[in-house]
Amino acid sequence: MITTSSIPELSKLLSFLGNEQRLRILKSIAKEEKYAREISEELSISRTLVNIYLKQLEKKGLVTGTSRVTDEPPLMRRYYRAVPFELVVSLDEIQKMEE
């Protein structure tokens, strides 16, 4: 479960997750791992933007990446998979948060 202790933290997290393309990437790699080019082609998002979002998601702990050597070019690929998480936002939880 993702937890936040303050209203500014929650606001930043909701803003981060409120990006439609990031959510589409999470959905794409929720059940099977993929590398950036696969995600880019599947979602019609530029590979550069997919890589940026994957790095952001990985930094937040929502995605894990593993580099692997392959037989086909590119010989080194980084495969990504979503990390299961749960985000619960309730009025009770918001009332407990610091300003």
Coordinates of all heavy atoms in Angstrom, one line a residue:
M1 N 0.8 -1.2 0.0 CA 0.0 0.0 0.0 C 0.9 1.2 0.0 O 1.9 1.3 0.7 CB -0.9 0.0 1.2 CG -1.7 1.3 1.2 SD -3.2 1.5 2.2 CE -3.7 0.1 3.0
I2 N 0.5 2.2 -0.8 CA 1.2 3.5 -0.8 C 0.7 4.4 0.3 O -0.6 4.5 0.5 CB 1.0 4.2 -2.1 CG1 1.6 3.4 -3.3 CG2 1.6 5.6 -2.1 CD1 1.3 4.0 -4.6
T3 N 1.5 4.9 1.1 CA 1.1 5.8 2.2 C 1.7 7.2 2.1 O 2.9 7.3 1.6 CB 1.4 5.2 3.6 OG1 2.8 5.1 3.7 CG2 0.7 3.9 3.8
T4 N 1.0 8.2 2.4 CA 1.5 9.6 2.5 C 1.1 10.1 3.9 O 0.1 9.7 4.4 CB 0.9 10.4 1.4 OG1 -0.5 10.4 1.5 CG2 1.4 9.9 0.0
S5 N 1.9 11.0 4.4 CA 1.7 11.5 5.7 C 1.2 13.0 5.7 O 0.9 13.5 6.8 CB 2.9 11.4 6.6 OG 4.0 12.1 6.1
S6 N 1.3 13.6 4.6 CA 0.9 15.0 4.5 C 0.0 15.3 3.3 O 0.1 14.6 2.3 CB 2.1 15.9 4.6 OG 2.8 15.9 3.3
I7 N -0.7 16.4 3.4 CA -1.5 16.8 2.2 C -0.7 17.1 1.0 O -1.0 16.7 -0.1 CB -2.5 18.0 2.7 CG1 -3.5 17.4 3.6 CG2 -3.1 18.6 1.4 CD1 -4.5 18.4 4.2
P8 N 0.5 17.9 1.2 CA 1.3 18.1 0.0 C 1.8 16.8 -0.7 O 1.9 16.7 -1.9 CB 2.4 19.0 0.5 CG 1.9 19.7 1.7 CD 0.9 18.7 2.3
E9 N 2.2 15.8 0.2 CA 2.7 14.6 -0.4 C 1.6 13.9 -1.2 O 1.8 13.3 -2.3 CB 3.1 13.6 0.7 CG 4.5 13.9 1.3 CD 4.8 13.0 2.5 OE1 4.1 12.0 2.7 OE2 5.8 13.2 3.1
L10 N 0.4 13.8 -0.6 CA -0.7 13.2 -1.3 C -1.1 13.9 -2.6 O -1.3 13.3 -3.6 CB -2.0 13.2 -0.4 CG -3.2 12.6 -1.0 CD1 -3.0 11.1 -1.4 CD2 -4.4 12.7 -0.1
S11 N -1.0 15.2 -2.6 CA -1.3 16.0 -3.8 C -0.3 15.7 -4.9 O -0.7 15.5 -6.0 CB -1.3 17.5 -3.4 OG -1.5 18.3 -4.5
K12 N 1.0 15.6 -4.5 CA 2.0 15.3 -5.5 C 1.8 13.9 -6.1 O 1.9 13.7 -7.3 CB 3.4 15.4 -4.9 CG 3.8 16.9 -4.7 CD 5.2 16.9 -4.0 CE 5.6 18.3 -3.6 NZ 6.8 18.4 -2.9
L13 N 1.5 13.0 -5.2 CA 1.3 11.6 -5.7 C 0.1 11.5 -6.6 O 0.1 10.9 -7.7 CB 1.1 10.7 -4.5 CG 0.8 9.2 -4.8 CD1 2.0 8.6 -5.6 CD2 0.6 8.4 -3.6
L14 N -1.0 12.1 -6.2 CA -2.2 12.1 -7.1 C -2.0 12.8 -8.4 O -2.4 12.3 -9.5 CB -3.4 12.7 -6.4 CG -3.9 11.9 -5.2 CD1 -5.0 12.7 -4.4 CD2 -4.4 10.6 -5.6
S15 N -1.2 13.9 -8.4 CA -0.9 14.6 -9.6 C 0.0 13.7 -10.5 O -0.2 13.6 -11.7 CB -0.1 15.9 -9.3 OG 0.3 16.5 -10.5
F16 N 1.0 13.0 -9.9 CA 1.9 12.1 -10.6 C 1.0 10.9 -11.3 O 1.2 10.6 -12.4 CB 2.9 11.5 -9.7 CG 3.9 10.6 -10.3 CD1 4.9 11.1 -11.1 CD2 3.7 9.2 -10.2 CE1 5.9 10.2 -11.7 CE2 4.6 8.3 -10.8 CZ 5.7 8.8 -11.5
L17 N 0.2 10.3 -10.5 CA -0.6 9.2 -11.0 C -1.8 9.7 -11.9 O -2.4 8.9 -12.6 CB -1.2 8.4 -9.8 CG -0.2 7.6 -9.1 CD1 -0.8 6.9 -7.9 CD2 0.5 6.5 -10.0
G18 N -2.1 11.0 -11.9 CA -3.2 11.5 -12.7 C -2.8 11.7 -14.1 O -3.6 12.1 -15.0
N19 N -1.6 11.4 -14.5 CA -1.1 11.5 -15.9 C -1.6 10.2 -16.6 O -1.2 9.1 -16.3 CB 0.4 11.6 -15.9 CG 1.0 11.7 -17.3 OD1 1.0 10.7 -18.0 ND2 1.5 12.8 -17.7
E20 N -2.4 10.5 -17.7 CA -3.0 9.3 -18.4 C -2.0 8.4 -19.0 O -2.1 7.2 -19.0 CB -3.9 9.9 -19.5 CG -4.6 8.8 -20.3 CD -5.5 9.4 -21.4 OE1 -5.9 10.6 -21.3 OE2 -5.8 8.7 -22.3
Q21 N -0.9 9.0 -19.6 CA 0.1 8.1 -20.2 C 0.9 7.3 -19.2 O 1.2 6.1 -19.5 CB 1.1 9.0 -21.0 CG 0.4 9.6 -22.2 CD 1.3 10.5 -23.0 OE1 2.2 11.1 -22.5 NE2 1.1 10.5 -24.3
R22 N 1.2 7.8 -18.0 CA 1.8 7.0 -17.0 C 0.9 5.8 -16.6 O 1.3 4.7 -16.4 CB 2.1 7.8 -15.8 CG 3.3 8.7 -15.9 CD 3.7 9.3 -14.6 NE 4.6 10.4 -14.7 CZ 4.3 11.7 -14.5 NH1 3.0 12.0 -14.1 NH2 5.1 12.7 -14.7
L23 N -0.4 6.1 -16.5 CA -1.4 5.1 -16.1 C -1.5 4.0 -17.2 O -1.6 2.8 -16.9 CB -2.8 5.7 -15.8 CG -2.9 6.5 -14.5 CD1 -4.2 7.2 -14.4 CD2 -2.6 5.7 -13.3
R24 N -1.5 4.4 -18.4 CA -1.5 3.5 -19.6 C -0.3 2.6 -19.6 O -0.4 1.4 -19.8 CB -1.6 4.2 -20.9 CG -3.0 4.9 -21.0 CD -3.2 5.7 -22.3 NE -3.1 4.9 -23.5 CZ -2.5 5.3 -24.6 NH1 -2.0 6.5 -24.7 NH2 -2.5 4.5 -25.6
I25 N 0.9 3.2 -19.2 CA 2.1 2.4 -19.1 C 2.0 1.4 -18.0 O 2.4 0.2 -18.2 CB 3.4 3.3 -19.0 CG1 3.6 4.1 -20.3 CG2 4.6 2.5 -18.5 CD1 4.7 5.2 -20.1
L26 N 1.5 1.8 -16.8 CA 1.4 0.9 -15.7 C 0.4 -0.3 -16.1 O 0.7 -1.4 -15.8 CB 0.8 1.6 -14.5 CG 1.8 2.4 -13.7 CD1 1.1 3.2 -12.6 CD2 2.8 1.5 -13.0
K27 N -0.7 0.0 -16.8 CA -1.6 -1.0 -17.2 C -0.9 -2.0 -18.2 O -1.1 -3.2 -18.1 CB -2.8 -0.3 -17.9 CG -3.8 -1.3 -18.4 CD -5.0 -0.6 -19.0 CE -6.0 -1.7 -19.6 NZ -7.1 -1.1 -20.3
S28 N -0.1 -1.4 -19.1 CA 0.5 -2.3 -20.1 C 1.5 -3.3 -19.5 O 1.6 -4.4 -20.0 CB 1.3 -1.4 -21.1 OG 2.1 -2.1 -22.0
I29 N 2.1 -2.9 -18.4 CA 3.1 -3.8 -17.8 C 2.7 -4.4 -16.5 O 3.4 -4.9 -15.7 CB 4.5 -3.1 -17.6 CG1 4.4 -1.9 -16.7 CG2 5.1 -2.8 -19.0 CD1 5.7 -1.2 -16.4
A30 N 1.4 -4.3 -16.2 CA 0.8 -4.9 -15.0 C 0.9 -6.4 -14.9 O 1.1 -7.0 -13.9 CB -0.6 -4.4 -14.8
K31 N 0.7 -7.1 -16.1 CA 0.6 -8.5 -16.1 C 1.9 -9.2 -16.7 O 2.1 -10.3 -16.4 CB -0.6 -9.0 -16.8 CG -1.9 -8.6 -16.0 CD -3.1 -9.3 -16.5 CE -4.2 -8.9 -15.6 NZ -5.5 -9.5 -16.0
E32 N 2.5 -8.5 -17.6 CA 3.7 -9.0 -18.2 C 4.8 -7.9 -18.5 O 4.4 -6.8 -18.7 CB 3.4 -9.7 -19.6 CG 3.0 -8.8 -20.7 CD 2.8 -9.5 -22.0 OE1 3.7 -10.1 -22.5 OE2 1.6 -9.5 -22.5
E33 N 6.0 -8.3 -18.3 CA 7.1 -7.3 -18.5 C 7.3 -7.1 -19.9 O 7.1 -7.9 -20.8 CB 8.4 -7.8 -17.8 CG 8.9 -9.1 -18.4 CD 10.2 -9.5 -17.6 OE1 10.5 -9.0 -16.5 OE2 10.8 -10.4 -18.2
K34 N 7.7 -5.8 -20.2 CA 8.0 -5.4 -21.6 C 9.2 -4.4 -21.6 O 9.5 -3.9 -20.5 CB 6.8 -4.7 -22.2 CG 5.6 -5.6 -22.3 CD 4.4 -4.8 -22.8 CE 3.1 -5.7 -22.8 NZ 1.9 -5.0 -23.1
Y35 N 9.8 -4.2 -22.7 CA 10.8 -3.2 -22.8 C 10.2 -2.0 -23.5 O 9.1 -2.0 -24.1 CB 12.1 -3.8 -23.5 CG 12.0 -4.3 -24.9 CD1 12.3 -3.5 -26.0 CD2 11.5 -5.6 -25.2 CE1 12.2 -3.9 -27.3 CE2 11.4 -6.0 -26.4 CZ 11.8 -5.2 -27.5 OH 11.7 -5.7 -28.8
A36 N 10.9 -0.9 -23.4 CA 10.4 0.4 -23.8 C 9.8 0.4 -25.2 O 8.8 1.0 -25.5 CB 11.5 1.5 -23.6
R37 N 10.5 -0.2 -26.2 CA 10.0 -0.1 -27.6 C 8.7 -0.8 -27.7 O 7.8 -0.3 -28.4 CB 11.1 -0.8 -28.5 CG 10.7 -0.5 -30.0 CD 11.7 -1.0 -30.9 NE 11.1 -2.3 -31.4 CZ 11.8 -3.4 -31.8 NH1 13.1 -3.4 -31.6 NH2 11.2 -4.4 -32.2
E38 N 8.5 -1.9 -27.0 CA 7.2 -2.6 -27.0 C 6.1 -1.7 -26.5 O 5.0 -1.7 -27.1 CB 7.3 -3.9 -26.2 CG 8.1 -5.0 -26.8 CD 8.1 -6.2 -25.8 OE1 8.6 -6.1 -24.7 OE2 7.6 -7.3 -26.2
I39 N 6.4 -1.1 -25.4 CA 5.4 -0.2 -24.8 C 5.1 0.9 -25.7 O 3.9 1.3 -25.9 CB 5.9 0.3 -23.4 CG1 6.1 -0.9 -22.4 CG2 4.9 1.3 -22.8 CD1 6.9 -0.6 -21.2
S40 N 6.1 1.5 -26.2 CA 6.0 2.7 -27.2 C 5.1 2.3 -28.3 O 4.2 3.1 -28.7 CB 7.4 3.1 -27.6 OG 7.3 4.1 -28.6
E41 N 5.4 1.2 -29.0 CA 4.6 0.8 -30.1 C 3.1 0.4 -29.7 O 2.2 0.8 -30.4 CB 5.2 -0.4 -30.8 CG 6.5 0.0 -31.5 CD 7.3 -1.2 -32.0 OE1 6.9 -2.4 -31.8 OE2 8.4 -1.0 -32.6
E42 N 3.0 -0.3 -28.6 CA 1.6 -0.6 -28.2 C 0.8 0.6 -27.9 O -0.4 0.6 -28.2 CB 1.8 -1.5 -26.9 CG 0.4 -1.9 -26.3 CD 0.6 -2.6 -25.0 OE1 1.6 -3.4 -24.8 OE2 -0.3 -2.5 -24.1
L43 N 1.3 1.6 -27.2 CA 0.6 2.7 -26.8 C 0.6 3.9 -27.7 O 0.0 5.0 -27.4 CB 1.0 3.1 -25.3 CG 0.9 2.0 -24.3 CD1 1.4 2.5 -23.0 CD2 -0.5 1.5 -24.2
S44 N 1.4 3.8 -28.7 CA 1.6 5.0 -29.6 C 2.1 6.2 -28.9 O 1.6 7.3 -29.1 CB 0.4 5.3 -30.4 OG 0.0 4.2 -31.2
I45 N 3.1 6.0 -28.0 CA 3.8 7.1 -27.3 C 5.3 7.0 -27.7 O 5.8 5.9 -27.9 CB 3.7 6.9 -25.8 CG1 2.2 6.8 -25.3 CG2 4.4 8.0 -25.0 CD1 2.0 6.4 -23.9
S46 N 5.9 8.2 -27.9 CA 7.3 8.2 -28.3 C 8.2 7.4 -27.3 O 7.9 7.4 -26.1 CB 7.8 9.6 -28.4 OG 8.1 10.1 -27.2
R47 N 9.2 6.7 -27.8 CA 10.0 5.9 -27.0 C 10.8 6.8 -26.0 O 11.0 6.3 -24.8 CB 11.1 5.1 -27.9 CG 11.7 4.0 -27.1 CD 12.6 3.2 -27.9 NE 12.2 3.0 -29.3 CZ 12.9 2.5 -30.3 NH1 14.2 2.1 -30.0 NH2 12.4 2.3 -31.5
T48 N 11.1 8.0 -26.4 CA 11.8 8.9 -25.4 C 10.9 9.2 -24.2 O 11.3 9.1 -23.1 CB 12.1 10.2 -26.1 OG1 13.0 9.9 -27.3 CG2 12.8 11.2 -25.2
L49 N 9.6 9.5 -24.5 CA 8.7 9.8 -23.4 C 8.4 8.5 -22.6 O 8.3 8.6 -21.3 CB 7.4 10.3 -24.0 CG 6.4 11.0 -23.0 CD1 7.1 12.1 -22.2 CD2 5.2 11.6 -23.7
V50 N 8.3 7.4 -23.2 CA 8.1 6.1 -22.5 C 9.3 5.9 -21.5 O 9.1 5.6 -20.3 CB 7.9 4.9 -23.4 CG1 8.1 3.6 -22.6 CG2 6.6 5.0 -24.1
N51 N 10.5 6.1 -22.0 CA 11.7 6.0 -21.1 C 11.7 6.9 -20.0 O 12.0 6.6 -18.8 CB 13.0 6.1 -22.0 CG 13.3 4.9 -22.7 OD1 13.3 3.8 -22.1 ND2 13.7 5.0 -24.0
I52 N 11.3 8.2 -20.2 CA 11.2 9.2 -19.2 C 10.2 8.7 -18.1 O 10.5 8.7 -16.9 CB 10.8 10.6 -19.7 CG1 12.0 11.2 -20.5 CG2 10.4 11.5 -18.6 CD1 11.6 12.4 -21.3
Y53 N 9.0 8.3 -18.5 CA 8.0 7.9 -17.6 C 8.4 6.6 -16.8 O 8.1 6.5 -15.6 CB 6.7 7.7 -18.3 CG 6.0 9.0 -18.7 CD1 5.1 9.0 -19.8 CD2 6.1 10.2 -18.0 CE1 4.4 10.2 -20.1 CE2 5.5 11.3 -18.3 CZ 4.6 11.3 -19.4 OH 4.0 12.5 -19.7
L54 N 9.0 5.7 -17.5 CA 9.5 4.5 -16.9 C 10.5 4.8 -15.8 O 10.4 4.2 -14.7 CB 10.1 3.5 -17.9 CG 9.1 2.8 -18.7 CD1 9.8 2.0 -19.9 CD2 8.2 1.8 -17.9
K55 N 11.4 5.7 -16.0 CA 12.4 6.1 -15.0 C 11.7 6.8 -13.8 O 12.0 6.5 -12.7 CB 13.4 7.0 -15.6 CG 14.4 6.2 -16.5 CD 15.4 7.1 -17.1 CE 16.3 6.3 -18.0 NZ 17.0 7.0 -19.0
Q56 N 10.7 7.6 -14.1 CA 10.0 8.3 -13.0 C 9.2 7.2 -12.2 O 9.2 7.3 -11.0 CB 9.0 9.3 -13.6 CG 9.6 10.5 -14.2 CD 8.6 11.4 -15.0 OE1 7.5 11.0 -15.3 NE2 9.0 12.6 -15.2
L57 N 8.5 6.3 -12.9 CA 7.8 5.3 -12.2 C 8.7 4.4 -11.4 O 8.3 4.0 -10.2 CB 7.0 4.4 -13.2 CG 5.8 5.2 -13.8 CD1 5.3 4.4 -15.1 CD2 4.6 5.3 -12.9
E58 N 9.9 4.1 -11.9 CA 10.8 3.2 -11.2 C 11.3 4.0 -9.9 O 11.5 3.4 -8.8 CB 12.0 2.9 -12.1 CG 12.9 1.8 -11.6 CD 13.9 1.3 -12.6 OE1 14.2 2.0 -13.6 OE2 14.4 0.2 -12.4
K59 N 11.6 5.3 -10.1 CA 12.1 6.1 -8.9 C 11.0 6.1 -7.8 O 11.4 6.1 -6.6 CB 12.4 7.5 -9.4 CG 13.0 8.4 -8.4 CD 13.4 9.7 -8.9 CE 14.0 10.6 -7.8 NZ 14.4 11.9 -8.4
K60 N 9.7 6.1 -8.2 CA 8.7 6.1 -7.2 C 8.4 4.8 -6.6 O 7.6 4.6 -5.7 CB 7.4 6.6 -7.8 CG 7.4 8.1 -8.2 CD 6.9 8.9 -7.1 CE 6.7 10.4 -7.6 NZ 6.7 11.3 -6.5
G61 N 9.1 3.7 -7.1 CA 8.9 2.4 -6.6 C 7.6 1.7 -7.2 O 7.2 0.6 -6.7
L62 N 7.1 2.2 -8.3 CA 5.9 1.6 -8.9 C 6.2 0.6 -10.0 O 5.3 -0.1 -10.5 CB 5.0 2.7 -9.4 CG 4.5 3.7 -8.3 CD1 3.7 4.9 -9.0 CD2 3.7 3.1 -7.3
V63 N 7.5 0.6 -10.4 CA 7.9 -0.2 -11.5 C 9.3 -0.7 -11.2 O 10.1 0.0 -10.5 CB 8.0 0.6 -12.8 CG1 8.8 0.0 -13.9 CG2 6.6 0.9 -13.4
T64 N 9.6 -2.0 -11.6 CA 11.0 -2.5 -11.5 C 11.5 -2.8 -12.9 O 10.7 -3.2 -13.8 CB 11.0 -3.8 -10.6 OG1 10.2 -4.8 -11.2 CG2 10.6 -3.6 -9.2
G65 N 12.8 -2.6 -13.0 CA 13.4 -2.8 -14.3 C 14.5 -3.8 -14.2 O 15.3 -3.8 -13.2
T66 N 14.7 -4.6 -15.2 CA 15.8 -5.6 -15.2 C 16.4 -5.6 -16.6 O 15.7 -5.7 -17.6 CB 15.2 -7.1 -15.0 OG1 14.5 -7.1 -13.7 CG2 16.3 -8.1 -14.9
S67 N 17.7 -5.4 -16.6 CA 18.5 -5.4 -17.9 C 18.8 -6.9 -18.3 O 19.2 -7.7 -17.4 CB 19.7 -4.6 -17.8 OG 19.4 -3.3 -17.5
R68 N 18.7 -7.2 -19.5 CA 19.0 -8.5 -20.0 C 19.7 -8.4 -21.4 O 19.3 -7.6 -22.2 CB 17.7 -9.3 -20.2 CG 17.0 -9.7 -18.9 CD 16.1 -10.8 -19.1 NE 15.2 -10.8 -18.0 CZ 13.9 -10.6 -18.0 NH1 13.3 -10.5 -19.2 NH2 13.2 -10.7 -16.9
V69 N 20.5 -9.4 -21.6 CA 21.2 -9.5 -22.9 C 20.3 -10.4 -23.8 O 19.7 -11.4 -23.4 CB 22.6 -10.2 -22.8 CG1 23.2 -10.4 -24.2 CG2 23.5 -9.4 -21.9
T70 N 20.1 -9.9 -25.1 CA 19.2 -10.7 -26.0 C 20.0 -11.1 -27.3 O 21.1 -10.6 -27.5 CB 18.0 -9.8 -26.4 OG1 18.5 -8.7 -27.2 CG2 17.2 -9.4 -25.3
D71 N 19.5 -11.9 -28.1 CA 20.1 -12.3 -29.3 C 19.9 -11.4 -30.5 O 20.6 -11.4 -31.5 CB 19.6 -13.7 -29.7 CG 20.1 -14.8 -28.7 OD1 21.1 -14.6 -28.0 OD2 19.4 -15.8 -28.6
E72 N 18.8 -10.5 -30.3 CA 18.5 -9.6 -31.4 C 18.8 -8.2 -31.0 O 18.8 -7.9 -29.8 CB 17.0 -9.7 -31.6 CG 16.4 -11.0 -32.0 CD 14.9 -11.1 -32.0 OE1 14.3 -10.0 -31.9 OE2 14.4 -12.2 -32.0
P73 N 19.1 -7.3 -31.9 CA 19.4 -5.9 -31.6 C 18.2 -5.3 -31.0 O 17.1 -5.6 -31.5 CB 19.8 -5.3 -32.9 CG 20.1 -6.4 -33.8 CD 19.4 -7.6 -33.3
P74 N 18.2 -4.4 -30.1 CA 19.5 -4.1 -29.4 C 19.8 -5.2 -28.4 O 18.9 -5.9 -27.9 CB 19.1 -2.8 -28.6 CG 17.6 -2.9 -28.4 CD 17.1 -3.6 -29.6
L75 N 21.1 -5.5 -28.3 CA 21.5 -6.7 -27.6 C 21.3 -6.6 -26.1 O 21.1 -7.6 -25.4 CB 23.0 -6.9 -27.8 CG 23.3 -7.2 -29.3 CD1 24.8 -7.4 -29.5 CD2 22.6 -8.5 -29.8
M76 N 21.2 -5.3 -25.5 CA 20.9 -5.1 -24.1 C 19.5 -4.4 -24.0 O 19.4 -3.4 -24.6 CB 22.0 -4.3 -23.4 CG 21.7 -4.1 -22.0 SD 21.8 -5.5 -21.0 CE 23.5 -5.8 -20.8
R77 N 18.6 -5.0 -23.4 CA 17.3 -4.5 -23.2 C 17.0 -4.4 -21.7 O 17.3 -5.3 -20.9 CB 16.2 -5.3 -23.9 CG 16.3 -5.3 -25.4 CD 15.2 -6.2 -26.0 NE 15.4 -6.3 -27.4 CZ 14.8 -7.1 -28.2 NH1 13.9 -8.0 -27.7 NH2 15.0 -7.1 -29.5
R78 N 16.2 -3.4 -21.4 CA 15.7 -3.3 -20.0 C 14.2 -3.5 -20.0 O 13.5 -2.8 -20.6 CB 16.0 -1.9 -19.4 CG 15.7 -1.7 -18.0 CD 16.6 -0.6 -17.3 NE 16.3 -0.5 -15.9 CZ 16.9 -1.2 -15.0 NH1 17.7 -2.1 -15.2 NH2 16.5 -1.0 -13.7
Y79 N 13.9 -4.6 -19.3 CA 12.5 -5.0 -19.2 C 11.8 -4.4 -17.9 O 12.5 -4.4 -16.9 CB 12.3 -6.5 -19.2 CG 12.6 -7.2 -20.5 CD1 13.9 -7.4 -20.9 CD2 11.6 -7.5 -21.4 CE1 14.2 -8.0 -22.2 CE2 11.8 -8.0 -22.6 CZ 13.1 -8.3 -23.0 OH 13.4 -8.8 -24.3
Y80 N 10.6 -4.0 -18.0 CA 9.9 -3.3 -16.9 C 8.6 -4.1 -16.6 O 8.0 -4.6 -17.5 CB 9.5 -1.9 -17.3 CG 10.8 -1.0 -17.4 CD1 11.4 -0.9 -18.7 CD2 11.3 -0.4 -16.3 CE1 12.5 -0.1 -18.8 CE2 12.4 0.5 -16.5 CZ 13.0 0.6 -17.7 OH 14.1 1.4 -17.9
R81 N 8.3 -4.1 -15.3 CA 7.1 -4.7 -14.8 C 6.6 -3.8 -13.7 O 7.3 -3.3 -12.9 CB 7.4 -6.1 -14.3 CG 6.1 -6.8 -13.7 CD 6.4 -8.2 -13.2 NE 5.2 -8.9 -13.4 CZ 5.0 -9.8 -14.4 NH1 5.9 -10.0 -15.3 NH2 3.9 -10.4 -14.5
A82 N 5.3 -3.6 -13.6 CA 4.6 -2.9 -12.6 C 4.7 -3.6 -11.2 O 4.6 -4.8 -11.2 CB 3.2 -2.6 -12.9
V83 N 4.9 -2.9 -10.2 CA 5.0 -3.4 -8.8 C 3.5 -3.3 -8.3 O 3.0 -2.2 -8.3 CB 5.9 -2.6 -7.9 CG1 5.9 -3.1 -6.5 CG2 7.4 -2.8 -8.5
P84 N 2.9 -4.4 -7.8 CA 1.6 -4.3 -7.2 C 1.5 -3.2 -6.1 O 2.4 -3.2 -5.2 CB 1.3 -5.7 -6.7 CG 2.2 -6.6 -7.5 CD 3.4 -5.7 -7.7
F85 N 0.5 -2.4 -6.1 CA 0.3 -1.4 -5.1 C -1.2 -1.1 -4.9 O -2.0 -1.5 -5.8 CB 1.1 -0.1 -5.4 CG 0.6 0.7 -6.5 CD1 -0.4 1.7 -6.3 CD2 1.0 0.4 -7.8 CE1 -0.9 2.4 -7.4 CE2 0.5 1.2 -8.9 CZ -0.4 2.2 -8.6
E86 N -1.4 -0.5 -3.8 CA -2.8 -0.1 -3.5 C -2.7 1.3 -3.0 O -1.9 1.6 -2.1 CB -3.5 -1.0 -2.5 CG -4.9 -0.7 -2.2 CD -5.5 -1.7 -1.3 OE1 -5.4 -2.9 -1.6 OE2 -6.0 -1.3 -0.2
L87 N -3.6 2.2 -3.4 CA -3.7 3.5 -2.9 C -5.1 3.8 -2.4 O -6.1 3.7 -3.2 CB -3.4 4.6 -4.0 CG -3.5 6.0 -3.7 CD1 -2.6 6.4 -2.5 CD2 -3.3 6.9 -4.9
V88 N -5.2 4.0 -1.2 CA -6.6 4.3 -0.6 C -6.6 5.7 -0.1 O -5.7 6.1 0.7 CB -6.8 3.3 0.6 CG1 -8.1 3.6 1.3 CG2 -6.8 1.9 0.2
V89 N -7.6 6.5 -0.6 CA -7.7 7.8 -0.2 C -9.1 7.9 0.4 O -10.1 7.7 -0.2 CB -7.6 8.8 -1.4 CG1 -7.8 10.3 -0.9 CG2 -6.2 8.7 -2.0
S90 N -9.2 8.3 1.7 CA -10.5 8.5 2.3 C -10.5 9.8 3.1 O -9.4 10.3 3.4 CB -10.8 7.3 3.3 OG -9.9 7.4 4.4
L91 N -11.6 10.3 3.4 CA -11.7 11.5 4.2 C -11.1 11.3 5.5 O -10.4 12.2 6.1 CB -13.2 11.9 4.3 CG -13.4 13.3 4.8 CD1 -12.6 14.4 4.1 CD2 -14.9 13.7 4.8
D92 N -11.3 10.2 6.1 CA -10.7 9.9 7.4 C -9.1 10.0 7.4 O -8.5 10.6 8.3 CB -11.0 8.5 7.9 CG -12.5 8.4 8.4 OD1 -13.1 9.4 8.7 OD2 -13.0 7.3 8.4
E93 N -8.5 9.4 6.3 CA -7.1 9.5 6.2 C -6.6 10.9 5.9 O -5.6 11.3 6.5 CB -6.6 8.6 5.0 CG -6.8 7.1 5.3 CD -6.0 6.7 6.5 OE1 -4.8 7.1 6.7 OE2 -6.5 5.9 7.3
I94 N -7.4 11.7 5.1 CA -7.0 13.1 4.9 C -7.1 13.9 6.2 O -6.2 14.7 6.4 CB -7.9 13.7 3.8 CG1 -7.6 13.0 2.4 CG2 -7.7 15.2 3.7 CD1 -8.6 13.3 1.3
Q95 N -8.0 13.6 7.0 CA -8.2 14.4 8.3 C -7.0 14.1 9.2 O -6.6 15.0 10.0 CB -9.5 14.0 9.0 CG -10.7 14.6 8.3 CD -12.0 14.2 9.0 OE1 -12.1 13.0 9.5 NE2 -12.9 15.1 9.1
K96 N -6.3 13.0 9.1 CA -5.2 12.6 9.9 C -3.9 13.2 9.4 O -2.9 13.2 10.2 CB -5.0 11.1 10.0 CG -6.2 10.4 10.6 CD -6.0 8.9 10.5 CE -7.2 8.1 10.9 NZ -7.0 6.6 10.7
M97 N -3.9 13.7 8.2 CA -2.6 14.2 7.6 C -2.2 15.6 8.1 O -3.1 16.4 8.5 CB -2.8 14.3 6.1 CG -2.9 13.0 5.4 SD -3.0 13.2 3.6 CE -3.0 11.5 3.2
E98 N -0.9 15.8 8.1 CA -0.4 17.1 8.4 C -0.6 18.0 7.2 O -0.7 17.6 6.1 CB 1.1 17.0 8.7 CG 1.5 16.1 9.8 CD 3.0 15.8 9.9 OE1 3.8 16.6 9.2 OE2 3.4 14.9 10.6
E99 N -0.7 19.3 7.6 CA -0.8 20.4 6.5 C 0.5 20.4 5.8 O 0.9 20.6 4.9 CB -1.2 21.7 7.1 CG -2.6 21.7 7.7 CD -3.7 21.7 6.7 OE1 -3.6 22.3 5.6 OE2 -4.7 21.0 7.0

